[in-house]
Amino acid sequence: LPGAAYFLACRWNMASGPFTLAELARAAGMSVDDVQFYRDCGLLQPPRRQRGRTDDLAFQVEHVERLRLIQRAIANGFFLEDIERFVDEATPVTCNEVYRISVDRLAEYRVARSSGHPTVVALEELIALCGRVGDRKDCEILVSLAESEPEVG
């Protein structure tokens, strides 16, 4: 069996792109069908042309990062339409709007689940981070979803 250094080197190389659809799915830890679903829903941006090649399209590191954000958002209780709003660069979103969406989801989960349910706790923790000031790039909820591992499974 290869050692940890080999595994980390392979993982680093895998995460550096460019990626085929199958490689992208593997790098993000999901199925090809899931990647295609998120692409078809518009949550995953289209692949980019590779530099110096006219017809070759490939997925890049930002696609892996987007898929991981989608996974984390779902794991933290957000719906696909919430995530679409968070990632749609054509639609301006303020931090306060992200906060309101988060509070609305939390209210729904509190009705459907116990107060100690992992999704309720995860949303409460995300909401506690939020300063409700600024735009998408300033939002601590989105920053946390972009950087952390999923809170619940």
Side-chain angles (χ1 to χ4, degrees):
L1 290 172
Y6 173 81
F7 173 75
L8 291 173
C10 287
R11 184 174 174 141
W12 182 84
N13 287 335
M14 173 60 109
S16 62
F19 303 99
T20 65
L21 182 62
E23 291 167 339
L24 176 64
R26 193 169 29 256
M30 62 178 55
S31 72
V32 169
D33 289 341
D34 286 344
V35 173
Q36 288 175 319
F37 174 77
Y38 295 132
R39 188 181 61 188
D40 293 346
C41 287
L43 297 178
L44 180 64
Q45 63 273 45
R48 292 191 288 134
R49 290 209 184 283
Q50 291 193 57
R51 200 174 281 166
R53 300 183 181 189
T54 58
D55 293 331
D56 288 347
L57 295 175
F59 295 100
Q60 305 296 329
V61 171
E62 67 261 19
H63 295 95
V64 176
E65 292 167 355
R66 172 70 61 86
L67 288 170
R68 290 180 179 161
L69 181 139
I70 292 167
Q71 288 175 312
R72 292 175 193 128
I74 290 169
N76 282 280
F78 293 101
F79 298 164
L80 292 180
E81 57 265 21
D82 303 333
I83 300 166
E84 181 179 20
R85 186 111 167 93
F86 297 161
V87 301
D88 181 6
E89 296 293 330
T91 305
V93 173
T94 66
C95 186
N96 191 51
E97 288 172 293
V98 173
Y99 174 84
R100 295 292 340 142
I101 291 168
S102 303
V103 168
D104 290 346
R105 289 296 156 253
L106 178 59
E108 291 171 10
Y109 281 110
R110 281 183 172 155
V111 169
R113 300 192 166 100
S114 69
S115 62
H117 189 276
T119 303
V120 171
V121 172
L123 280 169
E124 288 172 340
E125 289 173 359
L126 284 172
I127 290 166
L129 296 172
C130 189
R132 296 190 267 175
V133 177
D135 61 17
R136 179 189 334 252
K137 70 178 174 28
D138 302 314
C139 182
E140 289 299 323
I141 292 172
L142 296 181
V143 168
S144 181
L145 291 174
E147 295 176 348
S148 66
E149 290 303 311
E151 295 295 321
V152 294

